[in-house]
Amino acid sequence: MKNITLPTPHKILNIIHETQAEYTFRVQCSDEIRHGQFYVLSIPKVGEAPISVSAQGDGWVEFTIRKVGRLTNGLFGMAKGDTLFMRGPYGNAFPVEDFEGKDLVVIAGGTGLAPVRSMLQYFYQYPEKIRSVHLIAGFKDIHCVLFEEDLQRFKSAFHTIYTLDNSREDGFETGMVTKFVKDIPFADFDDYNVVIVGPPVMINFTAKECVNQGVPEDKIWVSFERKMSCSVGKCGHCKINETYVCLEGPVFNYVRGKELLD
Ligand SMILES: Cc1cc2nc3c(=O)[nH]c(=O)nc-3n(C[C@H](O)[C@H](O)[C@H](O)COP(=O)(O)OP(=O)(O)OC[C@H]3O[C@@H](n4cnc5c(N)ncnc54)[C@H](O)[C@@H]3O)c2cc1C
Ligand code: FES
């Protein structure tokens, strides 16, 4: 059986430059992964960091990584064919089976789109499994837009609203994602779920806006990118009150998650 606490070498199959600061790394891997889980990626003598799986396929996984510090700088210096180390998969996942057959609203800010991308791709591939998908995806500006091909494809199957914080561009609204929550026809839904992913401040305001629009708190799901170290419940880095985000998260129902928002 695989020891998930041990980093193992994996070959980089491809690197896609999404934006100047965000690359998607396709890496050889045949693990069974649930939508929303993450790995700890590492480079020996450089560092390690938890990164969500942004897509998965036959013999590969993808990670979409924002360059912010030691490990991510190191990864951006790597090339196709190089080897990185990974341990995982870790964490819980989105309750996709519970979402099936219902309406689903996904609200994502910036790199927050990465942890929900594989679930969106799944429902795009199997539209019979979901009643409807409404996707609101927000980016700072046109240079920060991720997954352009996916966003185009999703338009044909989902109800989509793509928005830029301040600028005007064809195909995009202008304004924060919170502004568009009122455009979701919650009253027409029989049974539904709302997934919110992004920076804590975005999750906070968006969840509150959903509640203002009459969404019950227990229909909202959030995913946290809390600072972590071991990711296996040993070091306490991720602990908020009595909750180990690495073990019990990163996905939380908002009834519980709202107490964990900083
Ligand atoms: C479950 C989970 C999933 C995640 N998924 C993703 C993902 O899909 N994609 C992604 O890009 N990120 C993701 N992250 C975030 C990622 O793990 C962090 O950005 C990680 O810190 C990057 O590691 P690093 O070594 O490159 O950066 P670090 O060196 O750890 O730097 C991270 C930040 O801390 C600041 N910093 C570093 N050192 C110091 C210091 N001494 N004093 C003050 N500030 C400092 C840096 O300026 C930077 O802003 C996820 C996190 C979690 C917990
Ligand atoms: S990251 Fe070490 S306990 Fe959660």
Side-chain angles (χ1 to χ4, degrees):
M1 209 173 97
K2 186 186 171 199
N3 178 356
I4 63 161
T5 61
L6 208 65
T8 52
H10 292 256
K11 192 167 154 187
I12 298 173
L13 301 174
N14 199 11
I15 302 174
I16 300 157
H17 294 201
E18 305 275 357
T19 70
Q20 269 194 341
E22 282 136 333
Y23 291 0
T24 294
F25 294 76
R26 181 172 288 195
V27 178
Q28 210 164 41
C29 174
S30 301
D31 293 344
E32 246 179 58
I33 305 156
R34 288 174 299 134
H35 303 290
Q37 287 194 295
F38 67 95
Y39 280 80
V40 172
L41 305 192
S42 58
I43 305 175
K45 299 193 180 128
V46 175
E48 61 171 15
I51 302 289
S52 303
V53 170
S54 69
Q56 51 184 301
D58 200 10
W60 56 264
V61 288
E62 281 183 359
F63 301 100
T64 302
I65 301 175
R66 188 172 174 80
K67 185 178 170 187
V68 292
R70 265 176 80 83
L71 186 264
T72 49
N73 276 328
L75 289 172
F76 272 54
M78 296 179 98
K80 185 174 160 178
D82 285 350
T83 298
L84 58 74
F85 283 73
M86 306 173 14
R87 56 186 174 91
Y90 294 130
N92 64 354
F94 294 107
V96 172
E97 293 79 16
D98 291 346
F99 295 172
E100 291 186 0
K102 301 173 185 165
D103 297 288
L104 178 66
V105 178
V106 176
I107 308 173
T111 30
L113 201 49
V116 282
R117 180 182 175 222
S118 72
M119 181 175 70
L120 288 167
Q121 289 180 336
Y122 171 75
F123 286 128
Y124 179 82
Q125 194 180 351
Y126 301 103
E128 69 282 5
K129 288 190 182 282
I130 197 89
R131 199 174 312 137
S132 76
V133 177
H134 285 72
L135 169 64
I136 306 178
F139 305 95
K140 201 162 157 254
D141 58 41
I142 196 74
H143 307 293
C144 297
V145 175
L146 298 170
F147 311 130
E148 282 184 47
E149 260 180 45
D150 279 353
L151 294 184
Q152 281 305 325
R153 285 190 310 143
F154 290 164
K155 279 185 188 175
S156 66
F158 305 158
H159 304 272
T160 56
I161 298 175
Y162 303 145
T163 182
L164 307 174
D165 287 354
N166 296 309
S167 39
R168 290 184 186 283
E169 296 284 345
D170 282 351
F172 291 87
E173 305 289 336
T174 304
M176 306 285 182
V177 291
T178 42
K179 181 176 158 189
F180 301 96
V181 171
K182 63 173 176 15
D183 298 335
I184 304 293
F186 292 112
D188 297 346
F189 297 157
D190 232 8
D191 197 357
Y192 65 96
N193 289 279
V194 179
V195 170
I196 306 173
V197 277
V201 62
M202 174 267 174
I203 294 180
N204 205 354
F205 282 112
T206 309
K208 284 184 176 145
E209 182 55 23
C210 288
V211 172
N212 282 342
Q213 296 295 324
V215 177
E217 289 186 347
D218 66 354
K219 295 206 176 296
I220 303 174
W221 301 85
V222 298
S223 179
F224 289 129
E225 292 197 352
R226 176 89 187 163
K227 271 223 178 286
M228 290 182 189
S229 184
C230 70
S231 300
V232 290
K234 301 243 184 281
C235 70
H237 259 78
C238 66
K239 213 170 154 211
I240 310 173
N241 305 325
E242 290 312 306
T243 302
Y244 286 84
V245 176
C246 68
L247 292 182
E248 296 170 57
V251 176
F252 289 91
N253 186 273
Y254 184 60
V255 172
R256 176 107 187 274
K258 70 178 178 186
E259 290 160 18
L260 308 176
L261 281 162
D262 299 319

